[in-house]
């Protein structure tokens, strides 16, 4: 494609017009424009483009474009993800991708030779021009993975009405988890049903601290069949914004777990009413690709005082019932209780073997019993802390 035609095609992008606001593409367009001028001053433009590519960690314009096309929300990607059809939009998207592919395969060495004196050519950095972009390959990616941030990342934080990607989430593997196999199997079975497209129960994991409730939820991302699973951790102070988030997730191909860790409400915290409505479903139902998982150290999620039960309110019993009803909105409630002494010592023995601890078992056992006396709560957390102390 001739440079003057490429310049005009780039300036007339439609579906992917948002890319023109990116500094790298803006620098590439400016360079092509400069190369077409009689009084060429291409060297500064060239240096700017190469510098921006280096900052982005991209070896070529094509590599950078391929990431942007896949991982930025756009109308064609969303339509393909949803399995829809729009001939006019498809034609516009195809034209844009053909234009961007022509840019990606520009021969930098040829451009330099045409634009600069021979004495300036040696040593100038070049980008790779062997990264063509295929419209068919791009559509296949959208169909299999969707587009935008949900195609790139698997874990997110929802805080203050904003969705923040977590590039390197803390995901325990199945081998990292110890004990509570029956409880974990219940949670995993519910999650597999979600991944298969079925409507599932919201899940509450409650019980003693340190028993691995949060680790159970985070480990779901390590399930072999969980490629389409996305985990979004919800800050408790952002519960009121959850309906807006759920609304945006309904049309996505992925399956979403909205994860609220260490859930508990004070008696005057009205966020529990918002969550109760979300769990039960109001006029706007919860989509089938979304489920809410929460962990708590409490069975009843709204704290109560003795004055609540002995007060002079006329409808006292109804108020108490309302405050205890939130946990009942979770269709699956999984209890994590502390270990017995026998289970605790069996776990200590397993962990000691995994860590290749060579201390005689009689000594380890005696130390573990003493540790238990000083650190109440027999759980995987206290067991690991004891092993670390050895």
């Amino acid at each position: 494609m001739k440079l003057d035609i490429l310049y005009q095609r780039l300036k007339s992008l439609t579906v992917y017009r948002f890319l023109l606001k990116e500094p790298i593409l803006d620098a590439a367009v400016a360079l092509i424009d400069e190369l077409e001028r009689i009084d060429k001053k291409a060297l500064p433009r060239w240096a700017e483009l190469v510098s921006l590519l280096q900052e982005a960690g991209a070896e070529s314009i094509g590599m950078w474009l391929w990431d942007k096309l896949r991982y930025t929300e756009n109308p064609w990607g969303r339509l393909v993800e949803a399995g829809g059809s729009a001939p006019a939009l498809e034609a516009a998207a195809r034209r844009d991708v053909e234009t961007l592919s022509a840019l990606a395969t520009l021969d930098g060495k040829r451009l330099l030779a045409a634009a600069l004196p021979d004495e300036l050519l040696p040593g100038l950095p070049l980008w790779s021009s062997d990264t063509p972009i295929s419209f068919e390959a791009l559509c296949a990616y959208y169909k299999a993975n969707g587009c935008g941030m949900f195609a790139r990342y698997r874990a997110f934080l929802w805080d203050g009405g904003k969705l923040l990607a977590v590039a390197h989430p803390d995901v325990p593997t199945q081998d990292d988890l110890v004990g509570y196999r029956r409880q974990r199997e219940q949670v995993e079975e519910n999650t597999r049903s979600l991944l298969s497209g079925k409507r599932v129960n919201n899940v509450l994991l409650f019980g003693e601290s340190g028993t691995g409730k949060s680790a159970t939820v985070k480990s779901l991302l390590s399930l072999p069949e969980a490629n389409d699973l996305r985990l979004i951790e919800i800050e408790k102070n952002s519960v009121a914004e959850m309906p807006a988030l759920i609304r945006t997730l309904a049309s996505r191909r992925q399956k979403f777990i909205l994860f609220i860790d260490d859930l508990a409400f004070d008696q005057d915290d009205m966020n529990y009413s918002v969550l109760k409505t979300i769990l039960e479903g109001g006029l706007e139902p919860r989509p089938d690709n979304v489920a809410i998982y929460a962990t708590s150290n409490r069975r009843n999620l709204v704290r109560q005082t003795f004055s609540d039960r002995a007060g002079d309110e006329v409808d006292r019993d109804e108020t108490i019932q309302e405050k205890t009803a939130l946990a009942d909105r979770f269709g699956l409630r999984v209890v994590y209780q502390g270990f017995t002494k026998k289970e605790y010592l069996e776990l200590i023995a397993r962990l000691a073997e995994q860590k290749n601890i060579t201390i005689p078992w009689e000594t380890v056992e005696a130390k573990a019993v003493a540790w238990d006396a000083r650190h109440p709560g027999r759980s995987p957390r206290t067991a690991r802390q004891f092993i670390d102390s050895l």
Side-chain angles (χ1 to χ4, degrees), residues 62-349:
M63 180 185 297
W64 176 82
L65 280 170
W66 182 241
D67 281 351
K68 287 295 179 180
L69 291 171
R70 291 181 297 165
Y71 301 140
T72 308
E73 295 284 340
N74 65 86
W76 175 241
R78 289 296 305 275
L79 184 67
V80 174
E81 176 184 351
S85 175
L89 181 60
E90 178 179 357
R94 183 182 293 275
R95 181 181 186 276
D96 282 1
V97 172
E98 289 174 352
T99 300
L100 296 170
S101 184
L103 173 64
T105 55
L106 274 182
D107 188 340
K109 184 177 294 186
R110 181 175 62 84
L111 290 180
L112 276 180
L116 301 173
D118 292 341
E119 60 268 20
L120 293 178
L121 297 180
L124 279 178
L126 296 172
W127 63 75
S128 172
S129 59
D130 56 356
T131 314
I133 300 172
S134 163
F135 181 71
E136 288 70 23
L138 183 61
C139 292
Y141 183 88
Y142 289 153
K143 187 175 181 180
N145 304 282
C147 69
M149 65 191 313
F150 292 131
R152 185 168 197 169
Y153 301 105
R154 301 187 65 203
F156 304 85
L157 297 175
W158 175 256
D159 189 13
K162 294 182 179 180
L163 198 60
L164 308 175
V166 180
H168 304 289
D170 175 22
V171 180
T173 66
Q174 300 301 305
D175 293 337
D176 293 330
L177 302 177
V178 291
Y180 304 101
R181 182 65 254 178
R182 181 179 59 83
Q183 288 90 332
R184 288 190 280 122
E185 285 176 350
Q186 294 180 70
V187 179
E188 290 169 9
E189 182 181 357
N190 194 75
T191 305
R192 289 189 179 97
S193 295
L194 173 68
L195 289 167
S196 67
K198 299 176 182 177
R199 183 170 181 81
V200 301
N201 281 312
N202 297 311
V203 182
L204 174 64
L205 300 82
F206 69 93
E208 296 186 21
S209 176
T211 49
K213 302 182 294 294
S214 301
T216 296
V217 177
K218 292 187 290 186
S219 72
L220 296 172
L221 287 177
S222 70
L223 292 175
E225 62 271 50
N227 288 335
D228 274 347
L229 184 64
R230 301 295 181 265
L231 185 63
I232 303 177
E233 185 171 351
I234 308 292
E235 297 292 332
K236 201 191 79 169
N237 58 7
S238 298
V239 166
E241 289 86 27
M242 279 178 64
L245 171 63
I246 294 173
R247 203 171 295 124
T248 66
L249 303 177
S251 61
R252 306 309 296 240
R253 68 179 307 279
Q254 293 88 358
K255 308 300 187 291
F256 299 90
I257 290 176
L258 307 187
F259 173 40
I260 310 174
D261 197 19
D262 197 18
L263 181 62
F265 294 105
D266 294 322
Q267 57 182 344
D268 58 348
D269 188 345
M270 295 309 295
N271 274 327
Y272 83 91
S273 295
V274 177
L275 182 58
K276 188 167 67 173
T277 301
I278 295 172
L279 292 169
E280 194 71 2
L283 185 61
E284 187 175 20
R286 173 172 60 89
D288 289 348
N289 67 332
V290 175
I292 298 171
Y293 287 24
T295 66
S296 180
N297 296 336
R298 306 171 57 89
R299 165 62 177 84
N300 293 321
L301 301 175
V302 182
R303 297 185 180 94
Q304 297 183 66
T305 63
F306 284 111
S307 62
D308 292 334
R309 297 182 176 272
D312 58 358
E313 184 180 351
V314 175
D315 297 322
R316 182 191 61 193
D317 291 342
E318 292 184 5
T319 300
I320 294 174
Q321 185 178 12
E322 180 187 14
K323 290 184 176 181
T324 59
L326 179 58
D328 296 335
R329 297 298 194 274
F330 291 89
L332 177 59
R333 296 180 289 279
V334 184
V335 184
Y336 280 69
Q337 297 176 328
F339 289 137
T340 64
K341 183 177 180 180
K342 179 182 177 183
E343 292 170 333
Y344 181 68
L345 291 175
E346 288 175 350
L347 175 57
I348 293 291

